[in-house]
Amino acid sequence: MVIFLLVMAPIFVCFGVGVLANYQTDKREAESKSLKAVLALTREYSAEVEGLHALLQVLSTHPAIREGRKAECLAILHRVHVSTPYVDNLGLAAPTGQVIASSIQGNYTVEDRKYFLDALRTRRFSVGEYVVGRATGHPTIHFSLPVLDGEGNVESVLFASYNLDRFESIISHQNLPQGAVLNLTDHDGRVIYRHPRHGVVKPGLRDQPHLRAQVDGAAEEGVFRAVGLDGVKRLFGFRRLRLRPEDAPYLYARVTIPEPIAFAEANRFAGWALLSCAAAAGVAGLLLHLLAQRHLVRPIRALSRVAREAGSGGFSVRSGLEDREDEVGQVGRAFDRMVASLEAREAERDRLTEQLHQAQKMESLGRLAGGIAHDFNNLLTPIMIYSQLLSESHDTESKVGTKARQILAASTKAKTLIAKLMGLSRKQVLHLETVDLNRTIESFIDIIRRTIRENIDIVVEIPGRPLLVRADPTQIDQVLMNLVINAGDAIQGRGRIAIRAWAEPAEGCARIAVEDTGCGMDAETRRRIFEPFFTTKPKGEGTGLGLATVLGIIQQHGGEIDVASVPGEGSRFTLSLPLHTGAAAADPAPERAIRLPAVARGQMALLAEDNDLVRATAAELLRRLGFQVLEAPEPAEALALAKGHHVDLLLSDVIMPGMNGPELHRRLRETQPWTRAIFMSGHTDNIVLEHGQLPPGTAFLQKPFTREVFNECVTRVLAAAEEPAG
């Protein structure tokens, strides 16, 4: 390409300069022709207008005209009309606009015509607008001259119509350029004449704004390039016409030449130049091809063959370019060295690619699980509450009560499944505290011994000093339970499960290992064990969410899982969690008993929830507690409802359209600072509690909730509101 550009650049530049020069020359010539033509046309037209002015002045001095003697005026006007070819009609009108006499007979008045009104107003030679003459029926421009008495008062007005078809005669005297067009427009931008005639550009058509802007500029005459009214690109020469220098223009004349005609010679030269450039490029290209084949193409094909073979696993192929001393030889030798090391790097890449795909799959499924959990939480809330209420309102032996309890039991199982999906999504709300893993494992052993078969031995090895991490104890228990149950299922007959914990201070992590002497796993099974819904158990005996949930929980805690397994020799799952250097959490103090009020004694509750089913359910529970309830599907409406009411309690979803629940509470407390708040959400994201949307200590209900949990939460908030300060 460098050779090609070096050869062709001077040729391209020369031809380009020549083409540009030809276009510039043709442009200047076309502009000069169009401007000269429009000036010649308007000069001849202006001369006829001056002649018409002089004619009207002579007529204004004739006694019969001044005295308005109709019969004599008719004869005079008729004789003058016949001898003046560019006049379509001559007439005399009284100051009232009534026509006294005209060379073309007719019953008409002129009191509304601009030329007549301007003559009365200015007492000078005046011009009218483009009209179709009332006497002639022809397109015309009228000129007028007032006939004044000795004191300068208007006695009558002489008028003459200038037939625009007269321009046919004017054009015939001119040597217009080939393809030229004459356009005349009035001061309002209406086309009043075009030569030659056109099917679209007719008298009365409005000028286009971009053309009007050009002719209304500072210059009285000039040239420009634009698209004409007929949609053709043209070179324009224009001139504005005024009766007197101080008057506004009353006529705009344009002579235009189509660009294809104006640049015909330049286009021919450009075509010749293009052919010449193509020929030169062909010669240069042939030379380049011959050189490239020898020095580039064949070596590149050799390198490409090496790359293809390497891509197919054939690492024995070499480029054959190692003897060349130029840059291509250097590339060939580099290729050969690269191929020699590709085999090891291919294997590493496969491993990393598999890990990436697994991580992407888990992330996608996690997002899906989080979304499903949110929607199901909103659906389960009314199902659980209403089935509870229904079972309480019927006898335990009744069919309705029995079915309601069955619905509640099924809903509770669904809630448990959703909790697993929360762990899978790695977005469940964690309640972190400082945990000693030694104590967690010790308290867990009794449960495990009752769960695992008696012919399986449980071995526990923990260090003598605390092993502290920041974790959610409930979630850690779930992880251990899943791993130990899986280990027990992998053991056929007698076996052993070992649970070991230790610290790795140098790496800043605490480790827990769960080992079994079970059947072990092959590589394919080991690769897929953390996939959601993958299970090796028989159909109906496993959901495939156990290990996926374990992975989600550990990763949400900032940890990792390592798996080692050999078929027939058991498996080892090793958990790594960040070490914590603080103190262990103290045992929780027993909670103070809270008195549950029978009713809320008529307090006002404001309920803001965008899910219709959840809103209806929460409103029912509040009313059963004795609240008066104001309901709103979105925060702005809730604020409007609160005006004029004493709101004791706000129950709001966290994430809603317009503003979130905490913001709604802040806005409400600006006018009602006593209002307590309970927030609820079906979302599982930690952002609900940990990223600033809810302040610490805020009352929060995770959907789905039971009636008892709801009542307890409301009771706690009411009790806190009644406690004396300090």
Side-chain angles (χ1 to χ4, degrees):
M1 288 305 297
V2 171
I3 295 172
F4 180 78
L5 291 175
L6 289 175
V7 171
M8 293 304 300
I11 300 174
F12 288 147
V13 170
C14 290
F15 280 120
V17 169
V19 169
L20 181 60
N22 272 271
Y23 273 108
Q24 292 294 336
T25 299
D26 283 6
K27 177 175 177 291
R28 286 192 295 270
E29 289 180 359
E31 288 175 345
S32 176
K33 288 179 182 179
S34 61
L35 184 58
K36 287 179 180 178
V38 77
L39 294 178
L41 284 166
T42 53
R43 277 197 296 270
E44 186 168 346
Y45 165 74
S46 298
E48 291 189 350
V49 172
E50 287 299 319
L52 184 58
H53 184 193
L55 174 62
L56 293 180
Q57 285 180 323
V58 171
L59 288 174
S60 69
T61 63
H62 197 284
I65 297 294
R66 297 186 66 84
E67 295 174 9
R69 298 195 292 269
K70 182 174 182 179
E72 294 180 44
C73 289
L74 284 172
I76 295 169
L77 295 175
H78 180 71
R79 287 196 302 272
V80 174
H81 180 192
V82 172
S83 62
T84 312
Y86 51 82
V87 173
D88 212 19
N89 186 22
L90 281 171
L92 180 68
T96 61
Q98 184 65 38
V99 175
I100 299 171
S102 67
S103 60
I104 296 179
Q105 295 296 322
N107 183 19
Y108 60 94
T109 61
V110 296
E111 76 276 1
D112 60 338
R113 295 298 201 188
K114 181 179 182 296
Y115 63 88
F116 174 75
L117 297 173
D118 284 355
L120 292 178
R121 179 175 55 82
T122 65
R123 293 178 172 80
R124 297 196 298 178
F125 181 60
S126 301
V127 64
E129 297 176 329
Y130 161 77
V131 295
V132 176
R134 287 173 175 163
T136 65
H138 298 158
T140 183
I141 295 179
H142 285 81
F143 295 89
S144 61
L145 182 72
V147 179
L148 306 177
D149 61 14
E151 297 179 356
N153 297 317
V154 178
E155 291 183 333
S156 58
V157 175
L158 280 165
F159 61 88
S161 61
Y162 186 93
N163 190 338
L164 294 176
D165 291 335
R166 173 65 179 170
F167 275 96
E168 295 290 343
S169 176
I170 296 176
I171 291 170
S172 67
H173 301 158
Q174 308 296 327
N175 183 23
L176 287 182
Q178 180 186 0
V181 170
L182 169 65
N183 264 330
L184 299 178
T185 58
D186 65 8
H187 66 93
D188 281 336
R190 288 178 299 178
V191 174
I192 64 176
Y193 181 80
R194 187 186 193 273
H195 174 84
R197 300 285 192 269
H198 192 272
V200 176
V201 185
K202 299 178 180 179
L205 181 69
R206 286 282 180 181
D207 216 348
Q208 293 182 353
H210 72 280
L211 297 177
R212 204 69 193 165
Q214 292 284 353
V215 299
D216 278 339
E220 290 292 298
E221 58 191 42
V223 292
F224 61 91
R225 294 174 66 180
V227 177
L229 293 173
D230 56 359
V232 177
K233 290 184 177 181
R234 297 176 175 273
L235 288 170
F236 287 73
F238 75 92
R239 185 186 179 197
R240 296 197 290 262
L241 297 177
R242 309 171 190 263
L243 277 185
R244 287 170 288 273
E246 67 274 13
D247 292 347
Y250 74 93
L251 193 66
Y252 296 77
R254 300 197 295 254
V255 172
T256 67
I257 303 176
E259 285 192 2
I261 295 176
F263 298 136
E265 183 61 33
N267 288 334
R268 282 192 291 272
F269 179 80
W272 175 82
L274 181 61
L275 289 175
S276 301
C277 285
V283 173
L286 179 60
L287 293 174
L288 177 65
H289 174 74
L290 296 176
L291 291 171
Q293 284 291 326
R294 176 178 175 82
H295 296 285
L296 291 176
V297 175
R298 284 194 290 269
I300 288 174
R301 285 176 179 168
L303 295 175
S304 177
R305 184 178 66 256
V306 173
R308 283 197 310 271
E309 292 295 329
S312 302
F315 300 106
S316 61
V317 178
R318 295 296 180 264
S319 66
L321 303 173
E322 62 276 359
D323 295 334
R324 294 184 58 149
E325 298 300 326
D326 57 4
E327 291 84 354
V328 174
Q330 294 176 6
V331 174
R333 288 188 289 275
F335 256 63
D336 294 342
R337 289 193 298 270
M338 176 189 69
V339 171
S341 63
L342 272 179
E343 187 172 13
R345 297 188 180 184
E346 291 282 1
E348 178 67 14
R349 187 198 65 182
D350 288 343
R351 188 181 68 82
L352 294 177
T353 300
E354 181 61 29
Q355 290 180 352
L356 175 61
H357 289 168
Q358 181 69 14
Q360 291 172 336
K361 186 187 302 183
M362 291 298 295
E363 179 63 24
S364 298
L365 287 170
R367 287 196 297 268
L368 175 62
I372 292 174
H374 168 258
D375 292 342
F376 264 87
N377 285 340
N378 277 333
L379 290 172
L380 285 175
T381 299
I383 293 174
M384 294 180 69
I385 296 299
Y386 284 127
S387 60
Q388 251 187 314
L389 296 178
L390 192 61
S391 65
E392 292 173 1
S393 62
H394 290 77
D395 294 337
T396 57
E397 302 300 325
S398 68
K399 291 184 178 180
V400 174
T402 300
K403 293 182 183 298
R405 286 188 294 277
Q406 289 173 345
I407 294 172
L408 182 59
S411 302
T412 303
K413 291 181 179 179
K415 179 181 178 182
T416 302
L417 179 60
I418 295 303
K420 291 184 177 181
L421 286 176
M422 291 180 183
L424 173 63
S425 69
R426 302 192 298 278
K427 293 181 179 179
Q428 78 273 36
V429 178
L430 297 180
H431 301 281
L432 298 178
E433 57 186 68
T434 303
V435 175
D436 183 356
L437 293 179
N438 294 340
R439 294 174 61 185
T440 299
I441 294 172
E442 287 174 343
S443 62
F444 181 70
I445 291 303
D446 290 340
I447 300 174
I448 291 299
R449 293 190 187 280
R450 291 194 297 269
T451 304
I452 300 301
R453 302 192 313 271
E454 293 181 353
N455 60 347
I456 297 177
D457 297 329
I458 306 295
V459 177
V460 177
E461 296 179 9
I462 57 177
R465 56 191 306 173
L467 191 59
L468 303 182
V469 296
R470 289 287 293 170
D472 184 327
T474 303
Q475 300 294 329
I476 298 300
D477 286 348
Q478 182 180 350
V479 167
L480 292 174
M481 179 65 73
N482 278 331
L483 292 179
V484 172
I485 288 177
N486 279 358
D489 291 341
I491 298 173
Q492 302 296 324
R494 189 166 188 81
R496 178 173 57 86
I497 297 175
I499 303 174
R500 296 184 173 89
W502 71 96
E504 296 281 1
E507 299 179 15
C509 66
R511 292 207 168 105
I512 301 176
V514 178
E515 302 175 6
D516 65 70
T517 58
C519 60
M521 295 176 284
D522 58 22
E524 177 62 18
T525 302
R526 190 167 62 249
R527 185 180 65 84
R528 300 188 59 193
I529 56 174
F530 292 114
E531 291 184 10
F533 311 111
F534 173 77
T535 179
T536 58
K537 296 178 181 178
K539 186 176 181 180
E541 295 187 13
T543 63
L545 291 176
L547 289 178
T549 303
V550 167
L551 178 63
I553 293 172
I554 293 302
Q555 288 182 339
Q556 195 173 3
H557 280 77
E560 297 177 351
I561 300 181
D562 181 68
V563 182
S565 182
V566 176
E569 298 183 13
S571 301
R572 174 188 173 102
F573 288 77
T574 304
L575 314 179
S576 298
L577 294 171
L579 273 173
H580 179 65
T581 57
D587 292 332
E591 295 186 357
R592 179 174 56 86
I594 297 177
R595 179 175 58 87
L596 177 64
V599 294
R601 299 190 298 276
Q603 286 108 318
M604 182 66 71
L606 176 62
L607 172 60
E609 167 62 60
D610 57 342
N611 185 285
D612 296 340
L613 292 174
V614 176
R615 187 172 67 253
T617 304
E620 172 74 13
L621 294 178
L622 287 170
R623 292 190 180 98
R624 284 175 176 263
L625 288 175
F627 283 96
Q628 300 179 60
V629 182
L630 300 172
E631 300 180 44
E634 50 93 20
E637 184 176 335
L639 288 174
L641 284 176
K643 293 181 179 178
H645 295 280
H646 184 283
V647 178
D648 300 284
L649 176 67
L650 169 66
L651 177 60
S652 172
D653 195 17
V654 176
I655 301 175
M656 289 184 293
M659 69 179 78
N660 59 36
E663 176 62 21
L664 169 61
H665 189 212
R666 286 192 291 272
R667 294 277 297 277
L668 184 62
R669 284 176 65 93
E670 291 175 0
T671 56
Q672 305 196 41
W674 56 83
T675 304
R676 295 299 180 108
I678 299 174
F679 298 104
M680 53 187 175
S681 179
H683 281 283
T684 60
D685 301 63
N686 276 351
I687 191 173
V688 172
L689 288 179
E690 295 183 359
H691 291 182
Q693 289 206 39
L694 293 182
T698 302
F700 176 73
L701 286 171
Q702 173 70 60
K703 301 174 188 175
F705 45 78
T706 63
R707 181 185 180 187
E708 291 78 6
V709 171
F710 181 89
N711 290 349
E712 180 183 359
C713 183
V714 173
T715 301
R716 288 180 182 277
V717 172
L718 290 180
E722 294 176 356
E723 289 180 356

